[in-house]
Amino acid sequence: MTYLSLNLQYFAGEKTEKATPKKRRDTRKKGQTAKSQDINTAIVLLAVFLFLYFGAGTIGKPMSQLVHTSLTEYMLQDVTEQSIHKIFIEIVKQMASMLVPVMAVAFIAGIVANLAQTGFIFTGEGLKPSLGKLNPLTGIKRILSIRALVELLKSELKMMLIGVVAFSVLWTNISDILNLPFKSAAASLQVVGHLTLSIGLASSIALFALAILDYLYQRFDFEKNIRMSKQDIKDEFKNTEGDPFIKSKIRQKQKEMAMKRMMQEVPDADVVITNPTHYAICLKYDETKSDAPLVIAKGADYLAQKIKEIARENDIVMMENRPLARALYAQVEVGDVIPEQFFKAVAEILAYVYKMKHKI
């Protein structure tokens, strides 16, 4: 028995179950979610190289102007403190005008990549100090872990992939490269720029394809890490059920569902007994199911008005009997048969209703 109980405890503690919605919410509040940093890098690189490929003119022309101005104006000026300061300010402004668009594209691409993976998360959990992070044994375990090995293999694979892509692009354009010595400086720069952008675009696309695989792995690893044992699920359920807020929400939901079912029963009533303004009780008599009429719906004030409104829409007979309506509302619950002391009064009402409907 002891061996069997130990086995049961082991399997109960084994994390084999998918995380519950509450566990996922709690994990997300801590800033933990499936995310691949390679996706961010690949999207940023791809966005930057696409911008440079299609919008190179926004950078090429200012750069050419800067080189031309440097050779024709700046180099001919006297070297003084004022001239150096002026040249420095002008060069910084021109460099900023060229780099700001590229930086803006990279910034926007980084935000889009993060939001696409995790959505908007605002948490300060990662900023909290933790002495566990200073533990050298924890650091050694992290270095020697399976995740570290996977990251190393990923880095090697990325280097090999970029090398193969760069070689393929250069080999495809080998004739242009061999003709560089015979071209003018401007034409050579144009060829080199085109090759650089082509290598950058091809490498970014290859890295993006690899990053998708990495994201799938990160998602698998994240789902594995947040798995729960059967005991964890039981404990969570107990804790959740003990929360007064959750209990009140459950009771409210149950009340709403019961109210909805009750209102759906109103069109099946034989008669609605009213107060006439404060109470409404719906009665139904089916001799094949019960020996006495049933209260299938009841309500006071606003709910009574709602019941009467539904009854009018469905041509249900409404009878005013203040003492009977008040007594039935106070003593009989929905779904119960009426007590024996009300048989005579209710029988007279039903006989009148049946006569009106030509049932007898």
Side-chain angles (χ1 to χ4, degrees), residues 40-56 58-59 98-110 196-197 200-201 204:
N40 294 0
T41 304
I43 289 180
V44 169
L45 285 176
L46 185 60
V48 169
F49 278 110
L50 282 172
F51 174 77
L52 293 175
Y53 191 85
F54 293 104
T58 59
I59 298 177
M98 290 183 286
L99 295 178
V100 166
V102 179
M103 295 174 65
V105 169
F107 179 74
I108 294 172
T196 303
L197 291 176
L201 272 176
S204 300

Side-chain angles (χ1 to χ4, degrees), residues 159-354:
M159 292 176 63
M160 291 175 57
L161 185 63
I162 292 175
V164 170
V165 170
F167 177 79
S168 301
V169 173
L170 293 175
W171 184 257
T172 305
N173 297 274
I174 189 66
S175 59
D176 293 333
I177 297 173
L178 295 176
N179 289 327
L180 284 177
F182 307 105
K183 295 185 177 183
S184 63
S188 298
L189 287 174
Q190 187 176 4
V191 171
V192 171
H194 177 74
L195 287 174
T196 303
L197 291 176
S198 298
I199 292 173
L201 272 176
S203 299
S204 300
I205 294 172
L207 287 176
F208 182 71
L210 187 63
I212 293 176
L213 298 177
D214 179 63
Y215 175 76
L216 295 176
Y217 166 75
Q218 297 293 344
R219 190 169 187 84
F220 165 78
D221 188 59
F222 174 75
E223 292 291 335
K224 181 181 177 182
N225 290 332
I226 65 172
R227 282 179 185 171
M228 304 173 67
S229 64
K230 295 182 184 299
Q231 187 61 42
D232 291 337
I233 295 177
K234 290 180 180 178
D235 293 340
E236 180 188 288
F237 180 76
K238 289 179 181 178
N239 294 332
T240 303
E241 284 294 303
D243 189 342
F245 178 76
I246 299 297
K247 281 186 174 181
S248 65
K249 284 290 185 182
I250 293 174
R251 285 196 296 267
Q252 181 182 356
K253 192 67 177 177
Q254 290 173 341
K255 186 176 180 181
E256 291 175 356
M257 293 174 64
M259 188 71 65
K260 185 177 180 180
R261 287 195 299 269
M262 185 185 75
M263 299 305 286
Q264 290 174 346
E265 295 288 336
V266 174
D268 297 329
D270 291 323
V271 65
V272 177
I273 301 175
T274 65
N275 189 25
T277 56
H278 295 295
Y279 299 105
I281 294 86
C282 299
L283 299 180
K284 179 177 177 61
Y285 178 52
D286 187 348
E287 58 185 7
T288 62
K289 294 182 179 180
S290 63
D291 296 331
L294 292 170
V295 174
I296 61 173
K298 70 175 186 176
D301 299 327
Y302 171 78
L303 188 57
Q305 301 302 320
K306 190 66 177 176
I307 290 174
K308 289 191 288 184
E309 180 182 340
I310 297 175
R312 279 192 292 269
E313 292 175 353
N314 292 271
D315 296 327
I316 307 298
V317 177
M318 288 186 284
M319 299 290 294
E320 180 181 340
N321 190 322
R322 298 187 180 191
L324 180 61
R326 193 177 294 112
L328 288 174
Y329 183 85
Q331 300 181 36
V332 188
E333 296 298 326
V334 175
D336 293 344
V337 297
I338 62 172
E340 187 176 352
Q341 64 264 31
F342 301 121
F343 281 0
K344 182 178 179 181
V346 171
E348 292 176 355
I349 292 174
L350 289 177
Y352 175 76
V353 170
Y354 292 153

Side-chain angles (χ1 to χ4, degrees), residues 87-136:
I87 292 172
F88 175 77
I89 295 298
E90 291 179 355
I91 291 177
V92 168
K93 289 181 179 179
Q94 293 177 14
M95 292 294 293
S97 66
M98 290 183 286
L99 295 178
V100 166
V102 179
M103 295 174 65
V105 169
F107 179 74
I108 294 172
I111 293 177
V112 171
N114 273 290
L115 292 178
Q117 292 186 84
T118 63
F120 182 77
I121 299 178
F122 182 78
T123 178
E125 290 290 332
L127 301 177
K128 291 183 178 179
S130 175
L131 296 177
K133 296 179 180 178
L134 302 177
N135 189 344

